[in-house]
Amino acid sequence: TQLLEQSPQFLSIQEGENLTVYCNSSSVFSSLQWYRQEPGEGPVLLVTVVTGGEVKKLKRLTFQFGDARKDSSLHITAAQPGDTGLYLCAGQYSGNTPLVFGKGTRLSVIA
Amino acid sequence: DAGVIQSPRHEVTEMGQEVTLRCKPISGHDYLFWYRQTMMRGLELLIYFNNNVPIDDSGMPEDRFSAKMPNASFSTLKIQPSEPRDSAVYFCASSPRRIYGYTFGSGTRLTVV
């Protein structure tokens, strides 16, 4: 059972386009994180959100945590080839539990 | 800071052989995690340690898998005997506390033929 569903699984866009990827669950999380993974490397943390409705911005990336803390979205403005990678969301049920990861959205930005 | 260091980066072994994967966490990080990544199942938690003590090994698929953390700077994941279905990328990650981002190593790509 996949506790965190990410969509879409694959996304291929042209440089300069905007995009949004989603992370959904039927469970409530105490915190949620987004990671980016490049080929041959481990995931790298982008952001942590902990409050329902929270919005965080990291340059062209905007992260939102759902009001009910069951879902999250990542929006990229004016995508660049350097944004190419596997975007993973990961949730923590409580402070005592380790992260559970979604399968990720594989993004390809074509110049 | 050298980050989380895993070795080897690649391992090809024959079915039935013993495989040992190694991890050096970031100094001062109290939590160490072993994950396995496949296309079909994504990143799955195998086991994690807090202050060198195993806390939850419910993700270890079978008795063929074992993990140890003899001290704060070293952990091993052993598979004996290995099987082709164990082929995956194995990641080690560490964290300074429970509610915090994880720092992952570069992974070990294991192929069992």
Side-chain angles (χ1 to χ4, degrees):
Chain A
T1 303
Q2 194 66 34
L3 300 174
L4 277 168
E5 299 287 342
Q6 291 192 243
S7 61
Q9 278 188 279
F10 301 94
L11 186 58
S12 182
I13 62 171
Q14 295 290 324
E15 181 177 4
E17 292 184 359
N18 301 333
L19 67 114
T20 302
V21 298
Y22 301 92
C23 174
N24 294 289
S25 174
S26 58
S27 303
V28 175
F29 291 101
S30 63
S31 68
L32 193 138
Q33 298 176 0
W34 284 91
Y35 290 76
R36 182 170 71 202
Q37 184 178 16
E38 297 187 15
E41 297 298 329
V44 175
L45 178 68
L46 295 174
V47 76
T48 301
V49 286
V50 297
T51 305
E54 183 176 3
V55 177
K56 280 193 174 179
K57 293 192 175 185
L58 184 65
K59 296 184 180 178
R60 294 176 294 101
L61 278 59
T62 302
F63 305 85
Q64 184 161 7
F65 201 11
D67 290 341
R69 289 186 286 127
K70 292 184 178 181
D71 57 88
S72 181
S73 64
L74 159 59
H75 181 80
I76 301 178
T77 303
Q80 299 177 0
D83 296 327
T84 294
L86 178 66
Y87 288 82
L88 296 158
C89 68
Q92 191 167 30
Y93 292 112
S94 72
N96 294 323
T97 59
L99 289 174
V100 174
F101 282 81
K103 289 186 180 180
T105 293
R106 194 167 297 278
L107 173 65
S108 176
V109 182
I110 302 166
Chain B
D1 185 354
V4 175
I5 300 172
Q6 290 188 247
S7 63
R9 285 298 306 270
H10 303 275
E11 177 79 42
V12 180
T13 190
E14 291 185 346
M15 182 173 62
Q17 296 298 306
E18 177 179 296
V19 176
T20 299
L21 311 181
R22 297 173 176 79
C23 175
K24 176 179 170 54
I26 292 175
S27 176
H29 282 197
D30 293 338
Y31 289 85
L32 184 140
F33 307 86
W34 282 100
Y35 282 86
R36 178 172 69 176
Q37 187 176 39
T38 61
M39 287 293 291
M40 285 292 293
R41 302 175 68 88
L43 268 169
E44 300 175 285
L45 178 67
L46 300 176
I47 185 171
Y48 79 98
F49 296 83
N50 177 214
N51 291 322
N52 313 338
V53 176
I55 302 302
D56 184 355
D57 66 354
S58 60
M60 298 284 260
E62 299 172 32
D63 291 345
R64 298 184 295 106
F65 286 69
S66 63
K68 294 182 179 180
M69 192 165 185
N71 57 63
S73 60
F74 184 65
S75 178
T76 60
L77 178 67
K78 185 177 295 186
I79 308 173
Q80 166 63 22
S82 58
E83 297 183 3
R85 58 191 167 126
D86 301 331
S87 297
V89 182
Y90 290 81
F91 286 101
C92 174
S94 69
S95 177
R97 60 188 72 94
R98 282 193 299 261
I99 305 177
Y100 209 79
Y102 294 1
T103 301
F104 283 81
S106 297
T108 295
R109 181 174 294 277
L110 174 65
T111 303
V112 183
V113 298

